[in-house]
Amino acid sequence: MNMRVALLVVACLALGCNGRLLLADTPAISISVPKNGNDVWDYMMLVQQWPVELCQHAGSHNCILPSVGWTIHGLWPDYNSSKGHSGPYPQFCSSEKFDLSQVADLQADLNEFWPNCFTDTPHADLWKHEFEKHGTCAMESALLNSENDYFSAALKLRREFDFGVVLSKGRVTPSSSAAYSVKQVMDAVVAYMGVEPYLECSWNRATHTQAIWQIGICIDKTSLRPFSCSAEVIAKSNCRSTESVVYEPMPGSHVTL
């Protein structure tokens, strides 16, 4: 497959297993910069990605596929546009820097569920980027008032909602031959979680096929529980609802449909 990968959010470019490659003509979702002080945001989006798509388009990077399957891209605070916010998402809300020692107790889980897939970049680059850009804003929440809280919350949600399991329960499994409708993918998430997700696809211009790339779930800031993303957010998906979508298997895996 020779595809260029679209990011869920253009502003969330970073190193590692975080979807840094961009499909230039893919509209970016505006999950919304606050004004310098980054006034308090309304909700968060937890984004998981299928790393097969990243590693197929890693360019000059040395990319390794994690054995866990779906990995965390990030946990991103955002504004509810219905409340009058129209700018980009909040970012770099303070000058606080990532401190690896603050998440020493989480290292094993971070390596497993939130890895940097680019082995030619510093191991902690993805965590550093995500915390300084998004975690410093998330810390405006009383529930996430430390670096450790931020990473712990994302890891807890990833352990509870593994999209490999979520999709397979809806009979959407990785395959080199099968294809699904966008509705099938969305319905699989709704059936398992009871909430409407945001879906991002990568696009192969040569073969005119799209692949599952990232899935985002909206997270309530007061309970840290999932809720249905708004119709406005869902509508900004770059997935083409009139065309089928593939779910690329891990190299060497044996998939039975």
Side-chain angles (χ1 to χ4, degrees):
M1 183 177 69
N2 181 21
M3 295 183 286
R4 298 176 64 201
V5 180
L7 282 178
L8 179 60
V9 185
V10 169
C12 288
L13 293 172
L15 295 174
C17 230
N18 63 344
R20 66 180 295 175
L21 303 178
L22 174 66
L23 179 61
D25 58 357
T26 298
I29 181 174
S30 177
I31 327 179
S32 322
V33 151
K35 310 153 186 130
N36 289 335
N38 288 281
D39 47 1
V40 179
W41 42 270
D42 299 302
Y43 71 98
M44 295 184 290
M45 181 177 281
L46 176 75
V47 180
Q48 293 183 44
Q49 62 182 348
W50 184 231
V52 171
E53 294 302 314
L54 175 64
C55 283
Q56 291 210 31
H57 306 280
S60 61
H61 286 292
N62 297 321
C63 190
I64 185 169
L65 288 169
S67 59
V68 72
W70 285 81
T71 60
I72 299 170
H73 179 167
L75 180 62
W76 304 330
D78 197 11
Y79 300 123
N80 186 337
S81 60
S82 67
K83 294 184 179 180
H85 294 288
S86 58
Y89 53 88
Q91 54 184 296
F92 300 109
C93 294
S94 79
S95 60
E96 184 168 348
K97 300 301 182 183
F98 174 73
D99 180 355
L100 186 60
S101 70
Q102 296 301 308
V103 291
D105 60 316
L106 305 176
Q107 280 270 299
D109 282 347
L110 287 170
N111 287 332
E112 182 173 7
F113 299 115
W114 203 335
N116 176 358
C117 295
F118 293 165
T119 59
D120 55 340
T121 62
H123 184 69
D125 267 15
L126 176 56
W127 307 330
K128 172 180 168 61
H129 171 84
E130 291 298 317
F131 174 71
E132 293 179 4
K133 187 170 187 177
H134 304 287
T136 54
C137 300
M139 286 168 60
E140 293 176 348
S141 165
L143 298 177
L144 303 172
N145 57 14
S146 73
E147 178 182 318
N148 192 283
D149 286 347
Y150 172 71
F151 285 101
S152 292
L155 288 167
K156 182 176 184 293
L157 287 164
R158 166 58 182 81
R159 284 192 295 268
E160 184 174 1
F161 301 111
D162 176 348
F163 278 116
V165 173
V166 171
L167 295 178
S168 67
K169 293 292 185 181
R171 304 181 69 81
V172 176
T173 56
S175 172
S176 57
S177 58
Y180 308 92
S181 68
V182 170
K183 185 177 185 302
Q184 278 179 284
V185 178
M186 296 286 284
D187 286 350
V189 178
V190 173
Y192 188 95
M193 298 184 61
V195 299
E196 294 275 355
Y198 174 84
L199 180 64
E200 185 81 3
C201 297
S202 61
W203 179 252
N204 185 331
R205 291 176 177 172
T207 61
H208 299 285
T209 56
Q210 58 184 353
I212 300 172
W213 163 231
Q214 299 192 120
I215 298 176
I217 51 174
C218 292
I219 304 297
D220 182 88
K221 65 183 295 182
T222 60
S223 65
L224 301 185
R225 301 303 300 162
F227 69 95
S228 288
C229 294
S230 69
E232 179 184 29
V233 169
I234 294 170
K236 291 177 181 177
S237 168
N238 72 327
C239 300
R240 306 179 184 190
S241 60
T242 58
E243 300 181 26
S244 61
V245 61
V246 298
Y247 184 6
E248 296 287 341
M250 288 278 188
S253 62
H254 299 281
V255 178
T256 301
L257 298 179

